[in-house]
Amino acid sequence: MTTGWTGVFPAVTTQFNEDFSVDLNATQGVQDALVNDGVNGLIVMGTCGENNSLDPEEKRTILKAAVEVVNGRVPVVTGVSEFDTRRAVAYAKDAEKLGADGLMVLPAMVYVPKPEELVAHFKAVAEATSLPIMLYNNPPAYRVNIGVDVLRQLEDVPNIKAVKESAPDPRRFTDLINVFGDRFDIFAGLDDVALEGLLLGAKGWVSGLTSAFPRESVALVAAAERGDWEEARSIYRWFMPLLHLDAEHDLVQSIKLAEQIMGRGSERVRMPRMPLSGARRAEVTAMVEKAAATRPTLSRKAA
């Protein structure tokens, strides 16, 4: 039942030209650089990829380009974030044809479903594809919880294999494992609860700030995997001020600004998002610059 996915899966950003059209070359450049820095997989067109700001054809073009540039080096998992089930099913079918290795499926956007509607949505997408599916649970953002009651009704769907857990309560990791054992691969999905998730049995980390500091992110997970909690805590404590940004409403702008400061991408975002400005921009800039100036020395094993 396992996905076989472990380690760091950054939620990569989508890069835009000055006219806010998709910059495919720059987007591929961001993806390629992350793979070269040692990440274990890519999540394309999740929240940080501005999925809901993209046209249907843009999504398919971006996914095709990601599969092309990654060229099988790591799994490419694409976000399925649509306004209704019909469009989610259509995208899932196309994603499989375009060579995606898996899907990260969100509840339908805007409408807050009842549990039975949530189950029906996920089952419909799963039935449309043979790809392995990671469900994305983020109650603060999407106002619905993929609880034990929902997962029990999905337990017998063979290609629903993983859960990205972004509830800010680390007890969720233990509760899910206690109920389901190893039926679902659990991934930490909130940056500032990542180490807690890894300690409690998460198979990996779907990360935002990895886009700016990939080597430290890979080293953090590697340290946790080998039980070197002293090194893991050291990296985590250094990283934590930035990791808190992942829990804020302006996480996409903050992460893209961090990428730009670190020379890894552009801060351009599509409206209604706008780049950070004023005191908030100065605050995030100072945080990133401090992190860059105080980067931890990674052990050879971690690096």
Side-chain angles (χ1 to χ4, degrees):
M1 302 296 290
T2 182
T3 59
W5 303 336
T6 61
V8 182
F9 279 57
V12 297
T13 59
T14 300
Q15 298 292 302
F16 298 110
N17 293 303
E18 290 185 7
D19 64 357
F20 299 102
S21 61
V22 174
D23 187 338
L24 268 186
N25 288 335
T27 300
Q28 284 185 313
V30 164
Q31 296 162 350
D32 186 54
L34 287 166
V35 175
N36 289 337
D37 279 321
V39 304
N40 305 100
L42 297 180
I43 306 287
V44 299
M45 291 175 289
T47 303
C48 292
E50 297 178 71
N51 187 304
N52 296 116
S53 299
L54 299 169
D55 294 333
E57 191 53 42
E58 288 176 325
K59 295 182 186 185
R60 288 152 174 84
T61 300
I62 291 166
L63 176 57
K64 182 179 179 181
V67 170
E68 174 188 277
V69 74
V70 172
N71 194 28
R73 290 176 290 167
V74 299
V76 174
V77 180
T78 180
V80 180
S81 177
E82 302 293 340
F83 291 105
D84 61 24
T85 303
R86 173 181 56 91
R87 279 178 272 202
V89 165
Y91 182 70
K93 289 178 178 178
D94 287 348
E96 184 164 8
K97 293 174 185 175
L98 291 169
D101 297 296
L103 308 175
M104 183 179 75
V105 182
L106 283 69
M109 296 291 97
V110 182
Y111 176 65
V112 180
K114 299 173 183 176
E116 60 268 27
E117 293 172 323
L118 189 59
V119 169
H121 176 76
F122 289 147
K123 282 187 173 181
V125 176
E127 289 167 2
T129 179
S130 65
L131 291 174
I133 288 172
M134 172 189 291
L135 303 180
Y136 180 8
N137 187 45
N138 190 334
Y142 303 120
R143 298 172 292 161
V144 60
N145 184 44
I146 304 174
V148 168
D149 58 332
V150 170
L151 290 173
R152 281 196 188 281
Q153 297 176 72
L154 299 170
E155 209 171 352
D156 62 350
V157 180
N159 59 328
I160 295 179
K161 296 179 180 292
V163 177
K164 175 189 173 185
E165 185 51 66
S166 294
D169 183 352
R171 293 176 295 181
R172 280 274 296 180
F173 296 101
T174 300
D175 288 343
L176 292 179
I177 292 169
N178 278 347
V179 173
F180 297 105
D182 60 1
R183 167 60 186 87
F184 299 106
D185 292 342
I186 311 298
F187 275 68
L190 192 62
D191 280 4
D192 57 1
V193 194
L195 186 57
E196 290 86 342
L198 294 167
L199 173 62
L200 295 170
K203 295 288 184 67
W205 174 23
V206 177
S207 169
L209 270 302
T210 292
S211 290
F213 291 94
R215 293 182 182 178
E216 289 79 5
S217 300
V218 171
L220 172 62
V221 174
E225 287 177 344
R226 67 176 184 270
D228 187 347
W229 297 109
E230 182 177 353
E231 173 141 351
R233 283 192 299 268
S234 176
I235 297 170
Y236 198 48
R237 289 168 181 166
W238 160 82
F239 217 168
M240 186 57 78
L242 288 180
L243 298 184
H244 285 318
L245 297 173
D246 189 56
E248 301 293 339
H249 290 299
D250 58 4
L251 76 155
V252 176
Q253 296 96 311
S254 295
I255 289 167
K256 288 187 119 176
L257 176 58
E259 275 188 298
Q260 179 168 286
I261 292 169
M262 298 307 297
R264 303 186 67 94
S266 164
E267 68 172 325
R268 291 190 197 100
V269 288
R270 274 188 176 169
M271 291 182 70
R273 291 184 178 93
M274 297 177 69
L276 299 183
S277 61
R280 179 60 169 163
R281 182 183 182 84
E283 176 189 26
V284 173
T285 297
M287 292 166 65
V288 176
E289 290 177 346
K290 180 178 180 181
T294 59
R295 297 173 90 157
T297 301
L298 305 176
S299 70
R300 289 185 179 180
K301 289 181 180 179

